[in-house]
Amino acid sequence: MIRRSDGQTRLHRALAASAACHGLTVHPVTVHERPWSSATFTGWRLTLDLAIGGGDPGDWLAALPEEDLPVPGRLVADLVVMHAAGARATLAVLLLESGDGFG
């Protein structure tokens, strides 16, 4: 079992909901997280290795970087599919604190 931060849990829920709309399931295999900040924003850089079930994830993965993923209290500022092969994919995500007061 992977121990996840609050942001990771919220991101996983958003990815799972998005995948479900395409008839897929996603399960994190490994997740690496490190703090990130700029002059105006704070957040995390995450690398997620996902196992994807339920069918061919090609269309979902192709559309995912442009999708507006609802992550409460966070903002997905960047999402890149770094690698995809069969039922596995590696995503790089920049997840920012949204500052909207909801967490």
Side-chain angles (χ1 to χ4, degrees):
M1 183 162 127
I2 295 174
R3 181 174 169 80
R4 291 182 232 158
S5 70
D6 188 48
Q8 287 179 29
T9 298
R10 292 174 188 190
L11 177 61
H12 177 254
R13 287 180 186 150
L15 288 168
S18 172
C21 290
H22 291 265
L24 303 169
T25 60
V26 294
H27 304 283
V29 176
T30 60
V31 179
H32 301 282
E33 176 183 296
R34 69 177 198 264
W36 177 92
S37 65
S38 71
T40 53
F41 298 103
T42 59
W44 305 266
R45 283 213 175 269
L46 295 101
T47 303
L48 300 94
D49 293 316
L50 301 175
I52 306 166
D56 181 1
D59 289 342
W60 176 64
L61 290 171
L64 191 57
E66 298 302 319
E67 188 169 334
D68 184 19
L69 291 172
V71 180
R74 308 290 190 266
L75 173 69
V76 178
D78 191 35
L79 187 150
V80 176
V81 178
M82 296 173 46
H83 178 74
R88 296 291 289 265
T90 302
L91 309 180
V93 180
L94 177 57
L95 189 64
L96 302 178
E97 294 222 34
S98 70
D100 62 7
F102 299 101

